[in-house]
Coordinates of all heavy atoms in Angstrom, one line a residue:
R1299 N 109.6 86.1 76.3 CA 110.5 85.3 75.4 C 110.1 85.4 73.9 O 111.0 85.6 73.1 CB 110.4 83.8 75.8 CG 111.5 83.5 76.9 CD 111.5 82.1 77.3 NE 110.4 81.8 78.1 CZ 109.4 80.9 77.8 NH1 109.6 80.2 76.7 NH2 108.4 80.6 78.6
L1300 N 108.8 85.4 73.7 CA 108.3 85.6 72.3 C 108.7 86.9 71.7 O 109.0 87.0 70.5 CB 106.8 85.6 72.3 CG 106.1 84.3 72.0 CD1 104.6 84.5 71.8 CD2 106.6 83.6 70.8
S1301 N 108.8 88.0 72.5 CA 109.0 89.3 72.0 C 110.3 89.4 71.2 O 110.3 90.2 70.2 CB 108.9 90.4 73.1 OG 110.0 90.1 74.0
K1302 N 111.3 88.6 71.6 CA 112.6 88.8 70.9 C 112.5 88.3 69.4 O 113.3 88.6 68.6 CB 113.7 88.2 71.6 CG 113.6 86.7 71.9 CD 114.9 86.2 72.5 CE 114.9 84.8 73.0 NZ 114.1 84.6 74.2
R1303 N 111.5 87.5 69.1 CA 111.4 87.1 67.7 C 110.6 88.0 66.8 O 110.4 87.7 65.6 CB 110.7 85.7 67.7 CG 111.5 84.7 68.5 CD 110.8 83.5 68.9 NE 110.3 82.8 67.7 CZ 109.9 81.5 67.7 NH1 110.1 80.8 68.8 NH2 109.5 80.9 66.6
Y1304 N 110.1 89.1 67.4 CA 109.2 89.9 66.7 C 109.6 91.4 66.6 O 108.9 92.3 66.8 CB 107.7 89.9 67.2 CG 107.1 88.5 67.0 CD1 107.1 87.5 68.0 CD2 106.5 88.2 65.8 CE1 106.6 86.3 67.7 CE2 105.9 87.0 65.6 CZ 106.0 86.0 66.5 OH 105.4 84.8 66.3
L1305 N 110.9 91.6 66.4 CA 111.5 92.9 66.5 C 111.8 93.5 65.1 O 112.3 94.6 65.0 CB 112.7 92.9 67.4 CG 112.6 92.4 68.8 CD1 113.9 92.3 69.5 CD2 111.5 93.2 69.6
H1306 N 111.6 92.7 64.1 CA 112.1 93.1 62.8 C 110.9 92.8 61.8 O 109.7 93.0 62.2 CB 113.3 92.4 62.3 CG 113.1 90.9 62.3 ND1 113.0 90.2 63.5 CD2 113.0 90.0 61.3 CE1 112.8 88.9 63.2 NE2 112.7 88.8 61.9
G1307 N 111.2 92.5 60.6 CA 110.1 92.1 59.6 C 109.5 93.3 59.0 O 109.9 94.5 59.3
H1308 N 108.6 93.1 58.0 CA 108.1 94.3 57.3 C 106.6 94.6 57.8 O 105.9 95.3 57.2 CB 108.2 94.2 55.8 CG 107.5 93.0 55.2 ND1 106.2 92.9 55.1 CD2 108.1 91.9 54.6 CE1 105.9 91.7 54.5 NE2 107.1 91.1 54.2
G1309 N 106.2 94.0 58.8 CA 104.9 94.4 59.4 C 104.2 93.3 60.1 O 104.6 92.1 60.1
F1310 N 103.1 93.7 60.8 CA 102.3 92.8 61.5 C 100.8 92.9 61.0 O 100.3 94.0 60.8 CB 102.2 93.2 63.0 CG 103.5 92.9 63.8 CD1 104.6 93.7 63.6 CD2 103.5 91.8 64.7 CE1 105.8 93.4 64.4 CE2 104.6 91.6 65.4 CZ 105.8 92.3 65.3
F1311 N 100.2 91.7 60.9 CA 98.7 91.7 60.8 C 98.2 91.1 62.1 O 98.7 90.1 62.6 CB 98.3 90.7 59.7 CG 98.4 91.3 58.3 CD1 98.5 90.4 57.2 CD2 98.4 92.6 58.0 CE1 98.6 90.9 55.9 CE2 98.5 93.1 56.7 CZ 98.6 92.3 55.7
F1312 N 97.2 91.8 62.6 CA 96.4 91.3 63.7 C 95.1 90.9 63.1 O 94.4 91.8 62.5 CB 96.3 92.3 64.8 CG 97.5 92.6 65.7 CD1 98.6 93.2 65.1 CD2 97.5 92.2 67.0 CE1 99.7 93.4 65.9 CE2 98.7 92.4 67.8 CZ 99.8 93.0 67.2
I1313 N 94.7 89.7 63.3 CA 93.4 89.3 62.7 C 92.5 88.6 63.7 O 92.9 87.9 64.6 CB 93.6 88.4 61.4 CG1 94.3 87.1 61.8 CG2 94.4 89.1 60.3 CD1 94.3 86.1 60.7
G1314 N 91.2 88.8 63.4 CA 90.1 88.2 64.3 C 88.8 88.4 63.6 O 88.6 89.2 62.6
R1315 N 87.8 87.6 64.0 CA 86.5 87.7 63.5 C 85.5 88.2 64.5 O 85.7 88.1 65.7 CB 86.0 86.3 63.0 CG 86.5 86.0 61.6 CD 86.0 84.6 61.3 NE 86.3 84.3 59.8 CZ 85.4 84.4 58.9 NH1 84.2 84.8 59.1 NH2 85.8 84.2 57.6
D1316 N 84.4 88.8 64.0 CA 83.3 89.3 64.9 C 83.9 90.3 65.9 O 84.7 91.1 65.4 CB 82.7 88.1 65.7 CG 81.3 88.4 66.2 OD1 81.3 88.9 67.4 OD2 80.3 88.2 65.6
I1317 N 83.6 90.2 67.2 CA 84.1 91.2 68.1 C 85.6 91.1 68.3 O 86.3 92.1 68.8 CB 83.4 91.1 69.5 CG1 83.6 92.4 70.3 CG2 83.8 89.9 70.2 CD1 82.6 92.5 71.5
F1318 N 86.2 90.0 67.8 CA 87.7 89.9 67.9 C 88.4 90.7 66.8 O 89.6 90.8 66.8 CB 88.1 88.4 67.8 CG 87.6 87.7 69.1 CD1 86.3 87.2 69.2 CD2 88.5 87.5 70.1 CE1 85.9 86.6 70.4 CE2 88.1 86.9 71.3 CZ 86.8 86.5 71.4
F1319 N 87.6 91.2 65.8 CA 88.1 92.1 64.8 C 88.5 93.5 65.5 O 89.6 93.9 65.4 CB 87.2 92.3 63.6 CG 87.5 93.5 62.8 CD1 88.8 93.8 62.3 CD2 86.5 94.4 62.5 CE1 89.0 94.9 61.6 CE2 86.7 95.5 61.7 CZ 88.0 95.8 61.3
P1320 N 87.5 94.1 66.2 CA 88.0 95.4 66.9 C 89.1 95.1 67.9 O 90.0 95.9 68.1 CB 86.7 95.9 67.6 CG 85.6 95.0 67.2 CD 86.1 94.0 66.2
L1321 N 89.1 93.9 68.5 CA 90.2 93.6 69.4 C 91.6 93.5 68.6 O 92.6 93.9 69.1 CB 90.0 92.3 70.1 CG 91.0 91.9 71.2 CD1 91.2 93.0 72.2 CD2 90.6 90.6 71.9
A1322 N 91.5 93.0 67.4 CA 92.7 92.9 66.5 C 93.1 94.3 66.2 O 94.3 94.6 66.2 CB 92.4 92.1 65.3
L1323 N 92.2 95.2 65.9 CA 92.5 96.6 65.6 C 93.2 97.2 66.8 O 94.2 97.9 66.7 CB 91.3 97.4 65.3 CG 90.6 97.2 63.9 CD1 89.3 97.9 63.9 CD2 91.5 97.6 62.8
E1324 N 92.7 96.9 68.0 CA 93.3 97.5 69.2 C 94.7 96.9 69.4 O 95.6 97.7 69.8 CB 92.3 97.3 70.4 CG 92.8 97.7 71.7 CD 93.1 99.2 71.8 OE1 92.8 100.0 70.9 OE2 93.8 99.5 72.8
G1325 N 94.8 95.6 69.2 CA 96.2 95.0 69.4 C 97.2 95.6 68.5 O 98.3 95.9 68.9
A1326 N 96.8 95.9 67.2 CA 97.7 96.5 66.2 C 98.0 98.0 66.7 O 99.2 98.4 66.6 CB 97.0 96.5 64.8
L1327 N 97.0 98.7 67.1 CA 97.2 100.1 67.6 C 98.2 100.1 68.7 O 99.1 100.9 68.8 CB 95.9 100.8 67.9 CG 96.1 102.2 68.4 CD1 96.6 103.1 67.3 CD2 94.7 102.8 68.9
K1328 N 98.0 99.2 69.7 CA 98.9 99.2 70.9 C 100.4 99.0 70.4 O 101.3 99.7 70.8 CB 98.6 98.0 71.8 CG 97.5 98.1 72.8 CD 97.5 99.2 73.8 CE 97.2 100.6 73.2 NZ 95.9 101.1 73.2
L1329 N 100.5 98.0 69.5 CA 101.9 97.7 69.0 C 102.5 98.9 68.3 O 103.6 99.3 68.6 CB 101.9 96.5 68.2 CG 103.3 96.0 67.8 CD1 104.0 95.4 69.0 CD2 103.3 94.9 66.7
K1330 N 101.7 99.5 67.4 CA 102.2 100.6 66.6 C 102.6 101.8 67.6 O 103.7 102.3 67.4 CB 101.0 101.2 65.8 CG 101.1 101.1 64.4 CD 99.9 101.8 63.7 CE 98.6 101.0 63.8 NZ 97.7 101.1 62.7
E1331 N 101.8 102.1 68.5 CA 102.0 103.2 69.4 C 103.3 103.1 70.2 O 104.0 104.1 70.3 CB 100.9 103.4 70.4 CG 99.6 103.9 69.9 CD 98.6 104.1 71.0 OE1 98.1 103.1 71.6 OE2 98.3 105.3 71.3
I1332 N 103.6 101.9 70.7 CA 104.8 101.9 71.6 C 106.0 101.2 71.0 O 107.1 101.3 71.6 CB 104.4 101.3 73.0 CG1 103.9 99.9 72.8 CG2 103.4 102.2 73.7 CD1 103.6 99.2 74.2
S1333 N 105.8 100.5 69.9 CA 107.0 99.8 69.3 C 107.5 100.5 68.0 O 108.6 100.3 67.6 CB 106.7 98.4 69.0 OG 105.8 98.4 67.8
Y1334 N 106.6 101.4 67.4 CA 106.9 102.1 66.2 C 107.0 101.1 65.0 O 107.6 101.4 64.0 CB 108.1 103.0 66.3 CG 108.2 103.8 67.6 CD1 109.4 104.0 68.2 CD2 107.1 104.3 68.2 CE1 109.5 104.7 69.4 CE2 107.2 105.0 69.4 CZ 108.4 105.2 70.0 OH 108.5 105.9 71.1
L1335 N 106.5 99.9 65.2 CA 106.5 98.9 64.1 C 105.2 99.0 63.3 O 104.2 99.3 64.0 CB 106.7 97.5 64.7 CG 108.0 97.2 65.4 CD1 108.0 95.9 66.1 CD2 109.2 97.2 64.3

Side-chain angles (χ1 to χ4, degrees):
R1299 273 184 287 117
L1300 265 189
S1301 61
K1302 61 174 171 284
R1303 300 166 58 160
Y1304 291 96
L1305 306 175
H1306 58 288
H1308 58 73
F1310 284 76
F1311 280 158
F1312 284 69
I1313 61 169
R1315 276 180 171 262
D1316 199 272
I1317 197 168
F1318 292 83
F1319 162 51
L1321 183 58
L1323 287 174
E1324 176 58 11
L1327 180 65
K1328 281 301 76 93
L1329 186 69
K1330 246 186 288 215
E1331 284 186 292
I1332 60 174
S1333 72
Y1334 320 140
L1335 295 168

